[in-house]
Amino acid sequence: TKPIDRSRLLSLVQRFAGHEAQARVLIVDDDPDVRDVVRSTLENSGLKTFQAVNGRAAIDWLQNHPAPSLILLDLMMPEMDGFEFLNRIREDDKLVDVPVVVLSAKELTTEERAFLAERTLLVLSKGAQPIASLGSALSAIAKQRVQHTPAAEQPTAVPG
């Protein structure tokens, strides 16, 4: 099992997903242990969670349900990886503004980091950063998000 700071994770997700009953988090990861830890933590706090085992399953879910408040995404999955998933949802007007946090063990190239910087709020490395620090890292980015919208979420033309 992977250690997880449940209270920090919960605090972070509530900042993105809100406290209201309709707040929903989509967990996209092929590792059932990761999905289960995150799911149980969030559901025990009253948040609704949904799970997908890969990007293709997540796209199918998104096509049949209202957009979630937050997506937690692994990059390396069978059938459709996180990169293709991000391309697909960022092309969809209904999903373009959904915040995505990546959690992956993949060693990223410079090009992959640039790709993710344009399409996600945060990228956390499972190898370099234990899952337990997910909450504090997301909390920091949530505070930053309140102050200004990240470039990936800014409209092309911002009214002055």
Side-chain angles (χ1 to χ4, degrees), residues 26-143:
L26 178 59
I27 305 161
V28 186
D29 198 310
D30 62 329
D31 184 333
D33 293 333
V34 170
R35 286 194 321 265
D36 191 53
V37 167
V38 173
R39 179 202 52 79
S40 65
T41 299
L42 300 180
E43 286 182 357
N44 286 340
S45 73
L47 289 171
K48 293 178 183 165
T49 64
F50 301 89
Q51 299 178 46
V53 298
N54 60 50
R56 184 169 318 286
I59 293 292
D60 291 344
W61 187 90
L62 289 165
Q63 290 174 345
N64 295 299
H65 298 87
S69 305
L70 176 70
I71 298 172
L72 298 176
L73 177 68
D74 185 21
L75 290 177
M76 304 309 296
M77 299 175 288
E79 292 190 46
M80 180 188 291
D81 66 18
F83 295 103
E84 185 177 346
F85 172 81
L86 286 167
N87 273 336
R88 297 272 304 272
I89 68 166
R90 293 309 183 220
E91 293 172 352
D92 186 328
D93 291 341
K94 295 181 294 188
L95 302 173
V96 71
D97 292 326
V98 175
V100 176
V101 173
V102 170
L103 181 62
S104 182
K106 183 180 185 336
E107 286 291 325
L108 299 171
T109 66
T110 302
E111 294 80 15
E112 289 169 334
R113 286 186 188 283
F115 174 91
L116 293 172
E118 294 175 358
R119 292 166 179 83
T120 65
L121 286 176
L122 181 64
V123 177
L124 298 176
S125 171
K126 287 180 184 175
Q129 194 162 355
I131 216 168
S133 64
L134 176 63
S136 60
L138 288 175
S139 180
I141 198 74
K143 289 176 186 174

Side-chain angles (χ1 to χ4, degrees), residues 15-16 121 138-150 153:
R15 283 179 185 232
F16 284 112
L121 286 176
L138 288 175
S139 180
I141 198 74
K143 289 176 186 174
Q144 195 175 39
R145 182 183 165 99
V146 169
Q147 295 171 0
H148 65 281
T149 303
E153 294 184 13

